[in-house]
Amino acid sequence: MSGTSAALKPPAGAVKPVRHPDAPAPGELLGSHYEHCFGCGGGQAHGLHLQARAGEGVSVTAEFTVKPAHQGAPGLAHGGILATALDETLGSLNWLLRVIAVTGRLETDFVRPVPVGTVLHLDAEITAVHGRKIYSRATGRIGGPDGPVAVAAEALFIEVKVDHFIENGRPAEIQAAMADPDQSKRVRAFEVNP
């Protein structure tokens, strides 16, 4: 990315990220972290329905198809939708560390237009960890995983405790997520953005 801000540069003392031993295996579909998430949930009619897969090390890949409901300009994806796809993909990385983290900062470069009907191929990786701060980057390509870059982002995620969501979310949704008998789903519901 051009002109990355100082907030997205790992400080001295940052360490290389380490994949958690219980993280999903490379190639494994991560699935939706929350049914009603606009980025990955199946419960959103006009959502992205983004599907991420664990990669090697601390990386993920994902794809989503730009639909007519995702337009900004006629026939082209809205920039906010593309930023959402990057943010969702970057947020999926935290499952490889097995931490709950929220987006602290996201800087996006829009390189070329993405037409409706296009499959956006995303790849993301964690580059460094410093205390509760997780530094990462992602690209979105059109025409295939090796196609031209359409969008790119760098991000800073902040590790939080589940209390962050309990104290700030709507009680009905929080209670429903906490009541899920599937412990993995219960934890994953709270792994993403503020």
Side-chain angles (χ1 to χ4, degrees), residues 98-136:
R98 298 298 290 260
V99 299
I100 299 171
V102 296
T103 308
R105 185 176 191 97
L106 176 70
E107 291 186 13
T108 306
D109 285 336
F110 300 94
V111 180
R112 65 185 48 190
V114 179
V116 169
T118 299
V119 175
L120 191 65
H121 300 268
L122 299 130
D123 61 83
E125 67 176 339
I126 297 174
T127 58
V129 175
H130 188 258
R132 294 177 42 227
K133 295 181 177 182
I134 302 164
Y135 297 85
S136 53

Side-chain angles (χ1 to χ4, degrees), residues 5-178:
S5 72
L8 293 176
K9 292 184 180 162
V15 297
K16 182 178 177 179
V18 176
R19 184 188 191 103
H20 191 280
D22 295 330
E28 187 176 327
L29 189 63
L30 300 181
S32 171
H33 74 89
Y34 178 54
E35 178 67 15
H36 300 289
C37 173
F38 183 80
C40 67
Q44 294 289 343
H46 298 296
L48 305 185
H49 303 141
L50 190 135
Q51 302 231 351
R53 288 190 181 280
E56 297 292 331
V58 284
S59 69
V60 298
T61 59
E63 294 181 358
F64 96 94
T65 302
V66 178
K67 302 215 163 75
H70 303 145
Q71 291 180 83
L76 298 174
H78 189 287
I81 293 292
L82 298 175
T84 300
L86 289 163
D87 188 43
E88 185 68 32
T89 304
L90 288 158
S92 297
L93 288 165
N94 299 312
W95 192 237
L96 300 178
L97 300 180
R98 298 298 290 260
V99 299
I100 299 171
V102 296
T103 308
R105 185 176 191 97
L106 176 70
E107 291 186 13
T108 306
D109 285 336
F110 300 94
V111 180
R112 65 185 48 190
V114 179
V116 169
T118 299
V119 175
L120 191 65
H121 300 268
L122 299 130
D123 61 83
E125 67 176 339
I126 297 174
T127 58
V129 175
H130 188 258
R132 294 177 42 227
K133 295 181 177 182
I134 302 164
Y135 297 85
S136 53
R137 64 178 167 227
T139 58
R141 298 173 181 272
I142 56 178
D146 297 318
V149 173
V151 291
E154 291 192 34
L156 169 64
F157 281 77
I158 309 296
E159 185 177 350
V160 297
K161 302 296 180 204
V162 76
D163 293 351
H164 169 86
F165 299 95
I166 293 169
E167 293 167 5
N168 296 292
R170 288 193 326 178
E173 282 88 351
I174 298 297
Q175 290 167 2
M178 301 270 304

